[in-house]
Amino acid sequence: MKKRIYIQMTAIAAMASLATMLLVAFVCYELFCGQILEDLRTDAYLLKEAENREDILQSDLVASGGLLRVTWVDGQGEVIFENSADAAEMNNHSGRPEILQALEEGEGEAVRRSHTVQKSSFYYAVRLEDGSVIRVAREADSIWSIFAGILPAVFLILAILLVLCMVIARFLTKNLLAPIERIAQNVEHPLEEAYEELVPFVETIRKQHEDILKNAGMRQEFTANVSHELKTPLAAISGYSELIENGMAAGEDIVRFAGEIHRNSNRLLTLIDDVIRLSELDASEREEEFAMIDLREIADTCVNMLQVHAEKHGVELAFEGERCIVCSERRMMEELVYNLCDNAIRYNREGGRVRVETKTEKGCPVLCVEDTGIGIGKEHQERIFERFYRVDKSRSKSTGGTGLGLAIVKHIVAKNHAGLKLESEWGEGTRITVVFGGQSPCKGPDG
Ligand code: ADP
């Protein structure tokens, strides 16, 4: 960009210099021509003022010999006198424009440019009282021959100007681009030096830069968390298998250790499944799998499936609902209901209750999962949808949690353009409500 601006600036300056020189040359030449004609006019009137024919012929102007040509013609254009040639041999001059004009109007002028001789002839004619015409003429170099004469000087001046232009253009380009370079070096705090026109552009870049940094930070944190989460069960598996391998476990211990290995492997598998699912939801923008599905049917099936799990925790799990059609993907809806119900059971207490409901409110399909469990303190409510955020880490792990369930829920809700509401009271219970009805990607009632 720098090079381009520099070259363009130099080219513009060089062209401007050349054009100025040419224009000045033409204007000067026109002034020069005007001056010659003016001089000729003065000479012609001086001759006219002479009192008689002898005075004219003997005047200094006529005798000057060659520099000034004086021609005297009678009213019919016949040459009476010519100071630089033999009048008798000259043809009739009545056709010459300056003489014609002088005969008609009293005075006339003409310039005849000769391309071959590279000279121009200037004529001025005045009519005398007796009807004859005195014409004075001079030759001068044409503009081209004047120009050819000064060409070396022109080139020298042009070369000097070009060098000057290049130096100034380099300086200006550097000055022009310096603020932009400063912005590029310091994208985070660029506004103090930015051009006014660049402010929106810089603002966008700064925001993108911040987003990129934030995303990179989140990704790094996620990778570190995943590695950490994988490490614990793997260390347990490695430890128990080593004990068995070294023959340090016998009888019942082997069964117990095998059980631990099994439990930790399952934990690993669930964790990996959740990580894969999260990255799938992150990556895919596809909505072609979306179709009209009945949320009641999905919630009902899920609640039935989780009954045994709920009984194990001493929790009563119930579903009630009306037909509730949403435009979504079946697998996503199953995961949504499953994750919310699973949490409601796991973070509950003996004798607690979980109520799952599907309904339509103000025309929008709604899923509501309510429990009488341990609840979530206000200070944690904003953060529980973050990846790996847990209020009670040991409880989460002991009940098979990965810390990713609500992150997946948040993703699914966003993909369905739905709304998510969390109401919870520490020690009393939690209610999570998902309201559908944003922009629907389904075309018609049949999807
Ligand atoms: P986890 O696998 O640990 O359950 P989640 O992402 O599903 O991870 O939930 C994040 C955290 O939010 C949980 O560790 C738990 O502390 C809290 N939580 C989620 N659902 C409930 C609930 N229904 N009642 C109380 N706490 C909950």
Side-chain angles (χ1 to χ4, degrees), residues 60-300:
D60 289 347
L61 290 172
V62 177
S64 65
L67 194 66
L68 193 69
R69 241 179 90 197
V70 181
T71 316
W72 193 358
V73 299
D74 66 14
Q76 280 70 47
E78 290 300 335
V79 180
I80 308 169
F81 172 77
E82 159 75 49
N83 71 342
S84 58
D86 186 357
E89 286 173 15
M90 296 178 75
N91 50 16
N92 189 294
H93 270 36
S94 59
R96 309 285 161 98
E98 68 281 4
I99 294 198
L100 211 57
Q101 197 184 356
L103 284 172
E104 283 169 7
E105 298 167 21
E107 57 185 359
E109 63 179 49
V111 180
R112 284 197 271 285
R113 301 177 202 269
S114 150
H115 298 290
T116 44
V117 191
Q118 296 188 333
K119 296 247 179 216
S120 294
S121 301
F122 296 79
Y123 300 94
Y124 205 92
V126 281
R127 192 178 62 206
L128 305 187
E129 308 242 301
D130 60 1
S132 64
V133 172
I134 278 273
R135 182 187 77 175
V136 284
R138 260 190 76 171
E139 275 192 339
D141 287 339
S142 74
I143 185 161
W144 304 118
S145 55
I146 292 177
F147 215 69
I150 59 166
L151 216 52
V154 169
F155 276 128
L156 184 71
I157 294 171
L158 262 182
I160 293 171
L161 279 178
L162 194 69
V163 172
L164 260 175
C165 289
M166 281 163 79
V167 173
I168 294 171
R170 182 172 288 273
F171 173 74
L172 287 180
T173 312
K174 215 172 138 190
N175 257 10
L176 193 76
L177 295 182
I180 299 175
E181 280 172 351
R182 280 200 292 272
I183 290 169
Q185 279 160 10
N186 186 12
V187 191
E188 279 131 89
H189 312 285
L191 286 180
E192 67 270 8
E193 286 179 313
Y195 287 123
E196 199 184 317
E197 295 79 0
L198 281 183
V199 171
F201 175 68
V202 170
E203 198 44 29
T204 312
I205 293 192
R206 198 173 58 78
K207 278 202 187 110
Q208 283 178 352
H209 187 73
E210 273 174 16
D211 284 352
I212 291 170
L213 285 179
K214 213 168 115 193
N215 279 344
M218 274 165 62
R219 212 163 289 151
Q220 206 175 18
E221 196 190 353
F222 182 62
T223 315
N225 280 336
V226 171
S227 316
H228 181 75
E229 295 286 333
L230 290 174
K231 228 168 141 185
T232 323
L234 268 178
I237 292 169
S238 166
Y240 287 123
S241 52
E242 196 184 356
L243 286 176
I244 298 172
E245 186 187 25
N246 293 340
M248 291 172 83
E252 264 181 31
D253 277 350
I254 294 187
V255 177
R256 194 164 60 84
F257 290 171
E260 283 300 325
I261 291 172
H262 187 205
R263 200 174 61 80
N264 278 293
S265 317
N266 277 344
R267 197 169 146 59
L268 272 184
L269 285 174
T270 331
L271 184 66
I272 290 167
D273 273 349
D274 278 0
V275 171
I276 291 175
R277 186 58 186 144
L278 255 186
S279 70
E280 268 174 13
L281 286 169
D282 256 345
S284 94
E285 286 294 327
R286 295 179 314 136
E287 282 180 343
E288 64 257 37
E289 311 270 321
F290 277 44
M292 290 301 194
I293 41 181
D294 187 359
L295 199 55
R296 177 178 65 173
E297 182 207 316
I298 289 176
D300 200 9

Side-chain angles (χ1 to χ4, degrees), residues 267 274 339-348 369-371 373-377 380 383-393 395-397 399-409 422 424 426 429-432:
R267 197 169 146 59
D274 278 0
N339 283 349
L340 292 179
C341 292
D342 183 44
N343 279 354
I345 295 167
R346 288 193 296 119
Y347 300 104
N348 219 312
V369 179
E370 195 178 348
D371 66 67
I374 60 172
I376 306 160
H380 301 292
R383 302 201 57 195
I384 55 163
F385 294 95
E386 289 174 17
R387 297 165 184 202
F388 295 115
Y389 189 85
R390 293 146 163 142
V391 179
D392 180 350
K393 211 166 188 158
R395 182 167 184 142
S396 161
K397 285 192 174 169
T399 52
T402 58
L404 295 175
L406 287 185
I408 293 176
V409 164
L422 167 75
S424 188
W426 173 238
T430 305
R431 187 199 348 234
I432 295 183

